[in-house]
Amino acid sequence: MEAVDRGQLELAQSMLSGAQRVVVLTGAGISTDSGIPDFRGPNGVWTKNPGAEKASNISYYLSDPDVRRAAWRARLDAAAWSASPNRGHLAILDLERSSRLHAVVTQNIDGLHQQAGTDPDLVIEVHGTIWFSRCWECGDRRQMSETLQRVRDGDPDPACELCGGIVKSDTISFGQSLIPEVIDRAMRVSEEADVLVAVGSTLSVYPVANCVPLAKSRGAQVVIVNAEPTEMDGIADVVLRGSIGDVLPQLFAQGGNT
Ligand code: NAD
């Protein structure tokens, strides 16, 4: 991966050193160094296997038992169960310790921000979490480990134990509505930000990508950290093209200096 532009990095550092309310918007790219593949990066799940997109769509999941069985089988060995936070997640913790972190709005479902030690109250999981399962019919929510144990014990598509409904991970699939209070909070903190840093996302999934133009329209400076171009580069004040594990520690070090 190319080395980050020093001049642009220093510009972003100076924005951050003067900031009091920094919102960090994270996508799948922040977790690739932890061994969890993204969707659309060069080694992304969808880049390598475009058919995999179908399994992420709620209508296929609800209508096709084979899609559900395949999803549960794959989930048994998901990389996220054994993943640890990396330098990118830990850099956000440094920002929090300097009292500048207003919120982390994450598209990720892996729980690695909380595992890194970020205050769970500051983490807004707009696409849910894989650490719980939920019944589609009655909403019964359980630890994912409990539901996965039923799969391991031989039930390939475990139904809700309360109402018999279809159970899925407590994540937002494509085609599924977001939780209004959660996405509303993400938008609100974005409006309150004085700097918004978008990390490891193509910024192509809506409505969460709208946090970026919303923050900008309310006067925030926008910094984008990503290896590849994103849909929002055109409105960013600084685009840092490079490795997240390399760039974020430099960006979020105490006082914004290296
Ligand atoms: P995406 O897959 O669309 O884009 C990820 C971006 O990160 C790519 O542009 C890629 O080049 C960049 N990237 C990857 N590793 C990087 C690194 N080490 N340094 C710098 N850049 C790097 O991701 P998205 O925009 O978050 O959209 C994917 C959707 O799928 C999200 O809505 C999310 O909910 C879900 N998802 C989550 C996880 C997870 O929880 N870890 C993993 C895959 C997908």
Side-chain angles (χ1 to χ4, degrees), residues 38 43 110 116 126 156 180 188 223:
D38 60 17
N43 296 311
D110 55 32
V126 287
R188 201 170 55 247
V223 177

Side-chain angles (χ1 to χ4, degrees), residues 5-87:
D5 182 298
R6 300 301 310 176
Q8 292 298 298
L9 179 62
E10 282 166 18
L11 185 57
Q13 284 170 330
S14 71
M15 289 172 181
L16 282 157
S17 63
Q20 291 178 339
R21 288 186 309 275
V22 180
V23 170
V24 185
L25 168 59
T26 63
I30 197 171
S31 294
T32 56
D33 283 348
S34 296
I36 304 175
D38 60 17
F39 280 172
R40 301 179 185 82
N43 296 311
V45 175
W46 293 356
T47 312
K48 287 181 161 174
N49 174 15
E53 193 165 350
K54 189 173 158 181
S56 309
N57 190 298
I58 190 65
S59 62
Y60 291 109
Y61 188 88
L62 294 178
S63 63
D64 188 343
D66 286 340
V67 169
R68 293 200 294 276
R69 288 191 197 108
W72 285 115
R73 266 197 313 275
R75 194 161 293 124
L76 282 179
D77 303 319
W81 306 134
S82 53
S84 303
N86 64 55
R87 294 202 304 156

